[in-house]
Amino acid sequence: MIAESLAGKRIAITGATGFVGTALVERLLRSVPDCQLVLLVRDGQRTPAARRTQREILKNDAFDRLRAEFGDEFDTAVAGRVTTIAGDVTIDGLGLSDDDREIFRTCDTIIHSAAAVSFDSPLPSAVEINLLGPTRLAELCHELGTTPHLVAVSTCYVAGNRRGKAPEELVSEGPFDIGLDWRSEVASARRLKGDTDAESRSEKNLLRFRKEARRELGAAGAPALAAKTEQLRNRWVKAELVQAGRSRAASLGWPDAYAYTKALGEQALTEIKGDVPVSIVRPSIIESAWAEPKPGWIRGFRMAEPVIISYARGLLKEFPGVPEGTVDVIPVDLVVAAIIGVAAAGPERAPAITQVASGGINPLRYRTMVDFVSSWFTRNPLYDSDGQPIIVPTWDFPGRGRVQKQLTRATRALSTAEKALHALPLRGKQAEFAATLENRRIELDAALEYVELYGLYTECEAIYQVDNLLALWDSLDAADQEAFCFDPRVVDWDHYVNEVHLPSIVQHARVKSTPGKHTPIDRPARLRKQVLDPKRHVAAFDLENTLIASNVVESYSWLATRRLDTPDRVRYVLRTLLEAPGLLRIDRQDRTDFLRHFYRRYENAPVEQIEHDAREMMTQLIITKSFPAGLRRVREHRAAGHRTILITGALSFNVEGLRPLFDEIFAAEMSVKPDGTYTGEMPVVPPTGEARAQLLADYCAAEGLSLDECVAYADSSSDVPLFEAVGFPVAVNPETRLAAIARKRGWLVEHWSKASGSPQPILPIGELLSDRERVVVVPGTTTTGGRR
């Protein structure tokens, strides 16, 4: 009897936070009531191992049956049987403390399910976890002088891209052994990591990353650009190491780095194990549960789900595969039961290798699976954002090359369109269209990734033999076979796919599966409620294109033309329009540099005259071009008890009239000459980019307020540092870059417009004065007499 064989045993489990590991913990607690579990869990960056056990394992819905059984005593019952120790299989000795080593020493069985299960893991990471992880466990047992039964979870795909029978034997002992030295592979992968990192720091690559960062963030400021550049560098390193893993695996006949490193891990463990008894369990493609802990239970998306959901959403029109080939799927509860069965058999009776697969005795054909999926989504379609049903395409069976070419062409076309739109000065809903294009490109990139990663698996024609699995099954009595079912022949694929698996993955994918427009959760309304919550401390607003449809060029133009006659005004407008592309280019490169460059035009302007004219400009330009919804939002924040702050690169004299709306105004300041004229220079850095974030941080620190409780409203990607500093960012009429960033990060986006009927000139012109009033002019313009 399985439960009796494991009664009183202390079982260590690695990988308990994963799909198989979580199901394994639940099944042992529920079905083997007298065993003790020791969970080896890695400390998170901010979450210790014990808390991860609570949050990531025991709170999972896999434990609903146990919660129902124990009620309020669930936590107490579990605490009496589960011990968490902090450790990491990528570290020699697992990084255990002395106390935890003693706990580990007392374990009778070790079930090693920790793995880098992603099919696109960077090669060095896959080597450290999949290849060396099992050997580190065996070596630790040697150090501690113990010989527990080590049950190592591997994969059937260690057999590689072979056709025909794949028996339950080590690859290194079969006819397809190519004489690999696992130690050499480890050394090579570690060198590659250092070499790739060094290459990423070359002048050529760093310049490219910097250029990409600027293209994505625009004039976001040096710190934000530096952070994005480093992020892109790390991303490039990872991508190179992922590709290196794929290339190395393909060159040796494995579908990916996961299967390649698992195969070498088996070889290394067999060589290193010494006196430690080892049993290897090889599942095929693990999917949602057949029955335990409940039908359809799944944790995270596995291999098939992204492909199926992409097909149902109309993103994948076709997918490579051999129609008469086998998709070797096995429900997770059968895998867990087999692992427990091997552990219970002990080193005396357990097979050296047990494959848990369906293809050899209960095959699911690829064409059959496609027909099931197509029929199900025809009967139960997903719906688009307008509430219309998505008609799934008829799926044929092309080669991977054709599908990859189609997706690559589509991705390139969308990338070209994206770049073109980013070059245009789009805002608001027009800019959101560009963000929509980016989302579509990302979806196509994902579809291409699926084809590259999973295409080999759907084209695989290996048939995994399960003789040892069936022999173990036949050795069980009827009670064990009922309690711990791992016979693949019990699975009715029609019922499993249509009644269990597809409903489950649609539920977990959180896709729209009902007709009509999506109304249950109005996300913008929910976010607006959050930003106006009385708990917030500060609401900080940008001015231009956030509260008013104007900018510093328009303000200057209004002041500069106020004392010009009609011919000079026409000349000014034409000259300024010719300058516009150059000004836009400088502004996109660096907002502070643009303001310094443009504000030079105020040199020698009389302070008294400018202040007088600015007061009139407030009513004739600023207010008429304001967004009523924006000013209303400022008042709503004040009514909620929030402090309101204006942070703008506009000159202080141009925004003085807005002071009644705000508790504080941070604006650009210009120095004054002894003769009462402006110098055209700013003595301090204007509040743009990262300077805005610092200003708000300093203000909150001085006033005892929290940045996490601040709301920020702005329109440009140069405001990303400000957005990242606060707890509640709001993108208002965002330009193209910010629209894309806001969509990715889930920020609230507002589209505010001017009041209907407000003037919309090409360039704002100040009210024409009489000849007597037209005495002094802003430098850079001309008087009626033509004097400059």
Side-chain angles (χ1 to χ4, degrees), residues 596 669-671 679 681-685:
R596 291 193 186 281
E669 299 286 348
M670 187 170 289
S671 55
T679 64
E681 298 176 356
M682 293 177 287
V684 296
V685 176

Side-chain angles (χ1 to χ4, degrees), residues 535-571:
K535 295 177 182 177
R536 306 290 86 82
H537 293 173
V538 177
F541 290 82
D542 183 21
L543 178 64
E544 297 162 355
N545 297 306
T546 301
L547 294 176
I548 63 172
S550 184
N551 54 53
V552 298
V553 176
E554 293 184 354
S555 298
Y556 174 82
S557 297
W558 195 95
L559 295 170
T561 58
R562 183 161 168 72
R563 301 169 189 277
L564 299 182
D565 60 14
T566 300
D568 285 337
R569 288 179 174 217
V570 171
R571 282 191 287 272

Side-chain angles (χ1 to χ4, degrees), residues 290-309:
W290 168 249
E292 302 281 350
K294 59 185 176 182
W297 178 81
I298 195 170
R299 177 167 190 168
F301 265 18
R302 318 318 305 164
M303 191 190 93
E305 289 72 54
V307 176
I308 291 172
I309 293 299

Side-chain angles (χ1 to χ4, degrees), residues 265-323:
E266 289 186 10
Q267 178 185 341
L269 178 59
T270 302
E271 180 181 327
I272 292 293
K273 66 179 182 177
D275 295 333
V276 176
V278 169
S279 300
I280 295 171
V281 178
R282 294 177 179 165
S284 56
I285 300 170
I286 308 175
E287 291 294 349
S288 65
W290 168 249
E292 302 281 350
K294 59 185 176 182
W297 178 81
I298 195 170
R299 177 167 190 168
F301 265 18
R302 318 318 305 164
M303 191 190 93
E305 289 72 54
V307 176
I308 291 172
I309 293 299
S310 294
Y311 167 74
R313 294 177 61 199
L315 299 177
L316 272 180
K317 307 298 183 184
E318 52 191 4
F319 199 81
V322 178

Side-chain angles (χ1 to χ4, degrees), residues 215-218 220 422 426-428 431-432 434-435 438 542 545-546 712-724 729-750:
R215 185 165 59 242
E216 182 174 340
L217 295 184
H422 274 289
L426 303 179
R427 285 196 172 275
E432 289 243 311
E438 182 180 23
D542 183 21
N545 297 306
T546 301
Y713 295 82
D715 69 295
S716 170
S717 61
S718 65
D719 297 301
V720 166
L722 176 63
F723 284 144
E724 291 179 335
V730 184
V732 179
N733 303 332
E735 43 85 60
T736 307
R737 290 190 182 98
L738 181 58
I741 295 169
R743 177 172 290 216
K744 285 180 185 175
R745 303 192 185 184
W747 294 342
L748 175 60
V749 176
E750 298 283 17

Side-chain angles (χ1 to χ4, degrees), residues 148-187:
H149 182 198
L150 174 55
V151 181
V153 181
S154 184
T155 174
C156 283
Y157 290 93
V158 296
N161 299 324
R162 70 170 70 181
R163 289 184 172 91
K165 293 183 178 181
E168 294 163 296
E169 64 182 16
L170 287 173
V171 176
S172 58
E173 296 177 356
F176 299 101
D177 177 35
I178 57 176
L180 279 182
D181 177 10
W182 64 269
R183 289 183 176 83
S184 297
E185 297 298 306
V186 170

